[in-house]
Amino acid sequence: MSFAHRFDNERAAVTTPAAATATTSAATDVNGGRPLGGPKGVLELSCDFEGGNVGSAKMISENEYELSLRADTNNPKYRLWFYFCIRNSKPGQRVLFHVVNFSKSKSLYRDGMSPTVRCTSQPKWERLNPKNVFYYKSQKKDNKNQYVLSFVFNFDRAEPYYFCYSYPFSYSHQQMLLADIDRRRLPFVQRDLLCRSVQHRRCDVITV
């Protein structure tokens, strides 16, 4: 199998095409909002975990899905980060994903970078084969000046898979590392609170 954290990203879940805005809920079937537990091969997509982000999703066919990103908090013009989970795939199912509303015209995806992926039985993050990753300007009139990331993936196991813009580094992990520095009481390191985010999370300043 070949396979940036957002500080102000509250829990989010994928909405169905009929819904207009992202909601906070558990995993949602992207095929017309039907309840979970649908036919095998109808993917269930969610981002209800720390750092997760997708705005909406649409099933084109069993082998093709179109996703859009939720914009950054208080910055609706900036759409870059994605991190989501796929369930209910069939072993051997080959799927083409389109993430259709990136705001950046220039991307490292054009220079060989590729999204990361992991699954339950292989928890180590790996990059997708860059030969299966494409980044280009949208040709749709209603998506003017937006960019599309398309990638192909073969699901070789019937278990959850996680896809991410790049290697995730969570806020919780960051705070754990900073707390470890505090416990050591190092004389040459000082940690101060600069401010808090919209969701009241710490924004720290480290002075060495």
Side-chain angles (χ1 to χ4, degrees):
M1 175 175 52
S2 175
F3 293 56
H5 166 71
R6 291 182 55 185
F7 283 85
D8 286 332
N9 189 20
E10 290 291 351
R11 286 187 174 185
V14 174
T15 61
T16 64
T21 58
T23 59
T24 54
S25 65
T28 302
D29 182 357
V30 299
N31 186 22
R34 293 181 297 184
L36 297 183
K40 204 69 174 174
V42 176
L43 302 185
E44 298 167 359
L45 192 152
S46 68
C47 54
D48 189 22
F49 47 83
E50 184 178 12
N53 186 59
V54 167
S56 64
K58 180 173 67 175
M59 179 181 183
I60 299 174
S61 72
E62 187 178 284
N63 300 103
E64 189 172 5
Y65 287 78
E66 186 176 282
L67 316 177
S68 63
L69 304 178
R70 189 180 65 168
D72 279 10
T73 302
N74 290 338
N75 193 356
K77 293 184 178 180
Y78 194 75
R79 300 172 305 277
L80 179 71
W81 179 257
F82 65 85
Y83 186 8
F84 58 88
C85 176
I86 295 288
R87 294 180 173 85
N88 206 43
S89 61
K90 295 187 297 187
Q93 185 176 357
R94 183 178 176 88
V95 178
L96 173 61
F97 293 98
H98 306 286
V99 185
V100 299
N101 65 330
F102 280 92
S103 57
K104 288 186 66 175
S105 59
K106 297 181 180 179
S107 173
L108 290 175
Y109 286 140
R110 286 179 163 173
D111 297 315
M113 190 178 92
S114 60
T116 55
V117 63
R118 68 175 178 86
C119 62
T120 304
S121 60
Q122 295 190 10
K124 182 180 178 180
W125 288 98
E126 297 183 20
R127 289 201 180 273
L128 294 170
N129 188 335
K131 293 182 179 180
N132 295 330
V133 177
F134 310 91
Y135 192 85
Y136 53 95
K137 188 172 184 179
S138 175
Q139 301 301 308
K140 295 183 178 181
K141 293 183 179 180
D142 56 348
N143 287 350
K144 186 178 180 181
N145 297 324
Q146 296 184 7
Y147 292 79
V148 181
L149 171 70
S150 295
F151 62 91
V152 178
F153 186 77
N154 288 312
F155 292 90
D156 55 359
R157 294 177 175 85
E159 60 187 35
Y161 283 80
Y162 291 82
F163 297 86
C164 195
Y165 177 84
S166 190
Y167 298 102
F169 182 78
S170 71
Y171 174 81
S172 296
H173 185 60
Q174 178 206 63
Q175 290 299 303
M176 181 185 68
L177 295 177
L178 293 178
D180 183 60
I181 292 176
D182 286 343
R183 286 191 293 271
R184 297 185 184 192
R185 299 183 181 275
L186 302 174
F188 49 84
V189 179
Q190 180 176 329
R191 177 190 182 190
D192 297 298
L193 177 65
L194 174 65
C195 60
R196 291 190 179 273
S197 71
V198 175
Q199 285 85 17
H200 304 290
R201 296 187 176 94
R202 291 180 60 97
C203 294
D204 293 285
V205 175
I206 306 300
T207 305
V208 179

